[in-house]
Amino acid sequence: MKLVTYEVDRRRDIGVVSRDEMWVFPLKAFGMEYTEMLEVVKGLSRSERDLLEHASGLDPDSSNIVGAAMMKEVTLLAPILTPDQDIICLGLNYMEHAEESARYKKETFDGERNYAVYFSKRVNEAVAPYGEIVSHSDIVDSLDYEAELAVIIGKDAKDVPAENAADYIFGYTIINDVSARNIQTAHKQWYFGKSLDGFTPMGPCILTSNSISYPPELSIQSKVNGELRQDSNTRHMIFPIDHIISELSKGMTLKAGTIISTGTPKGVGMGFDPPRFLTAGDEVECIIEEIGSIKNRVI
């Protein structure tokens, strides 16, 4: 099941996508008075989920669903526009990306990753799945892209055993972890260079966790101006989702609504020789199997 935040007729709403992906049905049509996606993530009951699963298979013409809109008539927004907290990110969580990163920084890479690298990403407002990436060309000369699978926590997680991690996942979405490499290098940490306004395209939906098998083994790709750059599978993560949720929850409570971006595979701009960074006018598409794609133009 896919849930979306969208606008239609100058009205913002939360909806479920029909199985044929031709329609969006507002949750309010089924008696659910949620006003934003985080409320859904934190409060959706099992019976409500079952109802929406059923509703996604309805024919809007014969079912008289109030407020049903055709997908081609709506504007999709980032499913979670303003996260409660900074996004938790993993760095270098695919081995070949760790290698290309070390090569770019002219560092020695021994092929070993004993501990996960965690950092955070400030998101004042996530960019719509077909919105624009601001280049910040006054301070950024090496703008880069990173296609990532993001995990959305559905209930407070504390001291979670790895084998129970799946029970705490509400769903998945796509994030482009846009990055300013020169700022990362200058400040010798990643927070500022990952957190500029407009650096978090997200969407196009939240795919609920019960929609796919666990752990997710999904094709993950990115394209720049139609050229395939990244092409891997989420099964190649060094530290899988079980590990991430279990390790983090040993030391801190992962509150419902927490977003964890699980890292990117090889093929980012800095991995090429010479590097192939983004410039104004470039269009970046991030694609993850089952979830869909987001496509954003640099301005």
Side-chain angles (χ1 to χ4, degrees):
M1 179 172 69
K2 294 181 176 181
L3 300 174
V4 293
T5 300
Y6 66 101
E7 287 183 346
V8 62
D9 297 330
R10 300 182 181 178
R11 184 186 71 252
R12 182 176 297 176
D13 220 333
I14 310 298
V16 60
V17 179
S18 64
R19 288 176 194 162
D20 63 7
E21 302 199 359
M22 297 292 290
W23 292 86
V24 180
F25 307 143
L27 270 56
K28 291 176 182 176
F30 310 104
M32 303 178 198
E33 295 299 323
Y34 298 108
T35 59
E36 61 177 40
M37 189 66 78
L38 278 174
E39 294 177 357
V40 179
V41 171
K42 297 174 184 180
L44 193 71
S45 68
R46 178 62 180 272
S47 61
E48 288 176 324
R49 184 184 296 230
D50 290 346
L51 175 56
L52 291 178
E53 290 276 10
H54 171 73
S56 67
L58 296 176
D59 179 350
D61 293 324
S62 59
S63 303
N64 296 317
I65 299 173
V66 177
M70 296 193 72
M71 280 291 291
K72 65 182 181 181
E73 296 174 349
V74 309
T75 299
L76 291 180
L77 305 176
I80 298 177
L81 281 168
T82 53
D84 280 346
Q85 302 174 338
D86 290 353
I87 294 175
I88 299 173
C89 300
L90 273 85
L92 312 176
N93 199 30
Y94 290 75
M95 192 63 73
E96 290 179 321
H97 174 59
E99 184 178 5
E100 70 180 358
S101 176
R103 186 169 60 248
Y104 174 74
K105 293 182 286 187
K106 297 180 171 56
E107 296 175 350
T108 301
F109 180 65
D110 60 10
E112 294 186 6
R113 292 295 319 285
N114 297 318
Y115 298 97
V117 174
Y118 298 109
F119 63 95
S120 58
K121 182 179 180 81
R122 173 61 58 91
V123 185
N124 291 324
E125 183 173 307
V127 176
Y130 310 108
E132 296 172 329
I133 298 169
V134 180
S135 64
H136 294 277
S137 57
D138 55 333
I139 58 173
V140 178
D141 64 10
S142 43
L143 187 69
D144 215 342
Y145 54 89
E146 296 187 0
E148 306 202 5
L149 174 70
V151 176
I152 300 159
I153 300 297
K155 59 183 178 179
D156 291 0
K158 178 65 175 174
D159 295 324
V160 177
E163 60 269 22
N164 295 341
D167 297 338
Y168 292 81
I169 299 171
F170 179 84
Y172 308 94
T173 193
I174 302 170
I175 282 177
N176 183 352
D177 180 20
V178 180
S179 307
R181 301 303 186 192
N182 63 308
I183 293 178
Q184 284 182 257
T185 301
H187 290 271
K188 302 189 186 307
Q189 49 75 35
W190 299 346
Y191 187 73
F192 185 26
K194 299 273 190 175
S195 300
L196 303 187
D197 291 343
F199 269 25
T200 311
M202 180 194 298
C205 64
I206 293 177
L207 178 72
T208 54
S209 59
N210 61 326
S211 302
I212 55 175
S213 59
Y214 187 85
E217 296 187 355
L218 307 172
S219 168
I220 178 170
Q221 298 177 319
S222 71
K223 297 178 181 179
V224 177
N225 301 325
E227 177 193 5
L228 184 65
R229 295 283 184 89
Q230 295 178 279
D231 189 12
S232 188
N233 192 289
T234 59
R235 67 172 172 267
H236 296 310
M237 291 181 195
I238 300 170
F239 300 100
I241 295 168
D242 285 347
H243 174 94
I244 295 165
I245 292 175
S246 180
E247 181 170 68
L248 288 175
S249 69
K250 288 175 183 175
M252 59 174 149
T253 301
L254 300 175
K255 303 291 288 184
T258 296
I259 302 171
I260 303 173
S261 202
T262 57
T264 199
K266 74 168 184 176
V268 300
M270 72 175 178
F272 291 89
D273 186 14
R276 302 176 69 182
F277 294 122
L278 301 172
T279 58
D282 285 342
E283 189 173 70
V284 186
E285 184 176 15
C286 298
I287 309 150
I288 298 183
E289 184 181 3
E290 301 288 349
I291 302 174
S293 68
I294 60 177
K295 186 181 290 187
N296 305 92
R297 185 173 298 277
V298 179
I299 62 169

